[in-house]
Amino acid sequence: MKMKGAMILLLIAVVGGGLGWTAHQGTAAAEPALSKYVPSGVLLYLQAKDFSSLLADWNGSPQKREWLQTTNYEVFSRSRLLLRLRDASKQFAAAAGLPPDMGFLTQVAGSQSVLALYDIGKLQFLYITRLSSANSAQSQLWQTRAKFETRKVGDATFYLRRDPESEREVEFAVNGNYLLLATREDLMAGALQLMAGSNDKDKNKGRTIEAEPWWSQSVGVAGAAGDLRMVLNLDQIVPSPYFRSYWVQQNITDMKQYTAAVSDLFRSTQEYREERVLLKKAASSASSPSVPDDVSDLLRLVPEGAGVYHAEDCPSMESCFDPLETKLLAPHLGPAPPEQLAPQAQLGSGVTGSSGDLEIRIDEPPTRRGPGTDGSTQLKQLVQKNQVRALLQVQSTEGSSAGVFVRIHSAVALAGGSDWDEAATRNALTNFMRPNLTAGQLGVGWRQANGYYEFDGPQPLLTAVRGKYLIVSDDPTLISGMLANVSRKVDLQPAVFVAGFNHRVERGNFNRFTAAVDRPDASPFASPGTQRQPQFFSENIASLSATLANVSSEKIVVRDKGDKVLQSVTYQWAH
């Protein structure tokens, strides 16, 4: 398959590192860092210990073969991002005289390699790879050098070719056992000059990426480089309109507090581990927070086989109370996300409303509850009084025996600043539930079960207190598993956020659940002149899940160190 776009070097390296590695590779001998040959002004820096092996692993992986047949790839192939990359690929091909396809990548992929991106919109980059001069001479790029203009920088020669229509240019050079490729003449000339003066530190001082504060500070606090390392100048990237358009997470406001970031990917046969460091700006890192053990301590309660869980600190009463209300006490959907597209005009026959509207009473105002009559006041006061410090949410799914429905079970655990009053807690829960269930006392009592109390109303609700832990759930199996772990020891450093997802356990129920949810909107046919859009969850995401079936679980741990945030993401592989 041809992977389009001049920036595809970056995409293939990331995907290859994240999906396609199937055999453990030995650690290569330490080699001089290529960053000292990279001129300053970089926005994004990507380095691989062995790019050739990454590329071979990806091309030979079953994940690639399966992914190219999925709905997820079908949607990605029509995405705005890939369309832009294809346009850039055509312009690169016009300037270089050959397409940047997989065959081209294979020929120019050496061992230690770096890709430095200088302009996101124009995709201006510098690529340096350690490749023997004999292998470089066999590449199609070198064999077509007669079509390029010749340039000299000191004793070094490089080749340049421009496309007058797109005003794009491509430069390449072979300097000893290095192959260089660029899309800007000054970048190529600057790299060759740095190579020529590599032993003269005074001469190169201030001219390389290593002299820039954002680089030296971020790399200085990061650990050893992984198989793949990415360094980002967030001060320059985040304000870019291209970042706002293509950043999938869309958390632009959160990213503004960081000045730089480093992400390292480590691979083995059992797991992929990504270690991230995000440097805060001076105003955000004025004081180093004191992080207690409450979040990491709550993880002892996570039962074996839990589908998804996450523990986090509670900066306010609302942040602790909302999950308890929305997941268990009064389940409901949150506010809809803001629409990104203008509403479509609906052209009909002019009929407004339906016969069902005749059942709506218009002579009586809707019933409105006064403040404090919703029953939540007492429970909120209890949460506030106990100074809840951390929250744990656990969810698991259960398929019905008939194979039709999928039930979602939830549990919430609150770590208080002191021991909970069990009787007061049950009374507050009763007062919260009563207005929605009964006008009296019927069905709002509690009965003791196996180590917990069970609500005897129509809505399943279970609760237990163990010292400073308050646990509320809607499933006996879930709360029993959490109570069994109260005395378990957890060896984890203090964190502000920890989450995990059991992909192996939840994948089947996810497919069944999303298929039922998407069915009303699914149509086997497209409108005339349009292409049918796959359903996002049941087709798009489900096909990606099938491709990554061997990923058994994912876990993320976030630690706040005051001037920086550390994130560790681990993917466990099942073999």
Side-chain angles (χ1 to χ4, degrees), residues 86-114:
R86 283 174 174 163
D87 290 340
S89 172
K90 294 176 182 178
Q91 294 172 357
F92 182 94
L98 66 166
D101 54 19
M102 188 59 72
F104 174 84
L105 282 177
T106 303
Q107 292 178 7
V108 300
S111 54
Q112 187 184 13
S113 306
V114 300

Side-chain angles (χ1 to χ4, degrees), residues 170-498:
V170 173
E171 296 84 18
F172 80 92
V174 175
N175 191 1
N177 288 326
Y178 294 101
L179 172 66
L180 296 84
L181 181 67
T183 56
R184 234 171 62 189
E185 185 175 0
D186 63 316
L187 297 178
M188 176 61 70
L192 291 173
Q193 288 175 342
L194 291 172
M195 285 183 169
S198 59
N199 295 325
D200 190 343
K201 294 184 179 180
D202 293 334
K203 184 177 180 180
N204 292 341
K205 185 176 181 180
R207 299 170 56 197
T208 74
I209 187 178
E210 294 181 347
E212 297 189 76
W214 72 270
W215 168 273
S216 57
Q217 292 171 8
S218 57
V219 173
V221 298
D227 300 307
L228 199 65
R229 163 170 281 190
M230 181 166 60
V231 190
L232 301 100
N233 185 351
L234 295 179
D235 261 342
Q236 299 297 320
I237 292 177
V238 173
S240 166
Y242 299 100
F243 180 80
R244 294 195 296 270
S245 299
Y246 296 107
W247 183 243
V248 176
Q249 286 78 7
Q250 292 295 303
N251 57 341
I252 309 300
T253 302
D254 292 338
M255 296 303 294
K256 288 180 179 179
Q257 65 179 307
Y258 303 111
T259 182
V262 181
S263 177
D264 286 292
L265 177 68
F266 300 87
R267 307 178 301 156
S268 72
T269 52
Q270 289 78 32
E271 68 177 28
Y272 289 174
R273 190 180 81 259
E274 185 183 355
E275 298 291 346
R276 306 170 184 164
V277 179
L278 293 93
L279 289 186
K280 294 182 180 180
K281 295 181 179 178
S284 304
S285 59
S287 61
S288 179
S290 176
V291 181
D293 296 337
D294 299 289
V295 172
S296 54
D297 191 56
L298 266 178
L299 295 177
R300 72 175 71 239
L301 302 180
V302 178
E304 295 294 331
V308 60
Y309 67 88
H310 78 263
E312 59 187 328
D313 58 354
C314 285
S316 65
M317 186 277 295
E318 289 77 12
S319 62
C320 300
F321 185 80
D322 288 348
L324 189 63
E325 179 183 18
T326 58
K327 296 291 185 183
L328 295 165
L329 304 181
H332 62 274
L333 297 176
E339 289 288 342
Q340 302 295 324
L341 301 176
Q344 295 182 352
Q346 301 293 332
L347 301 179
S349 59
V351 177
T352 302
S354 66
S355 58
D357 295 335
L358 298 175
E359 302 298 325
I360 300 176
R361 301 186 67 90
I362 62 175
D363 55 347
E364 293 181 3
T367 303
R368 298 183 182 275
R369 291 178 177 173
T373 60
D374 61 353
S376 65
T377 302
Q378 184 180 356
L379 187 57
K380 288 181 178 179
Q381 289 176 347
L382 186 65
V383 173
Q384 182 76 41
K385 178 183 177 181
N386 210 12
Q387 298 179 350
V388 175
R389 305 175 64 163
L391 163 78
L392 169 67
Q393 298 184 58
V394 183
Q395 288 187 288
S396 293
T397 59
E398 177 189 8
S400 64
S401 57
V404 178
F405 299 105
V406 176
R407 296 182 177 89
I408 301 177
H409 301 303
S410 302
V412 173
L414 302 178
S418 58
D419 290 352
W420 293 89
D421 184 330
E422 191 165 14
T425 300
R426 291 198 305 273
N427 185 51
L429 290 172
T430 300
N431 290 335
F432 185 99
M433 302 290 289
R434 181 185 290 114
N436 297 321
L437 298 177
T438 180
Q441 298 295 326
L442 184 64
V444 290
W446 295 88
R447 56 176 176 268
Q448 193 166 5
N450 299 323
Y452 54 85
Y453 284 87
E454 183 176 2
F455 195 59
D456 65 4
Q459 182 174 334
L461 189 66
L462 317 168
T463 183
V465 169
R466 295 295 187 271
K468 66 177 183 179
Y469 297 137
L470 167 62
I471 305 174
V472 184
S473 179
D474 59 8
D475 178 58
T477 302
L478 200 54
I479 194 172
S480 296
M482 296 176 71
L483 291 173
N485 293 337
V486 168
S487 301
R488 185 174 65 173
K489 294 184 178 181
V490 177
D491 185 16
L492 186 67
Q493 296 179 8
V496 296
F497 181 87
V498 181

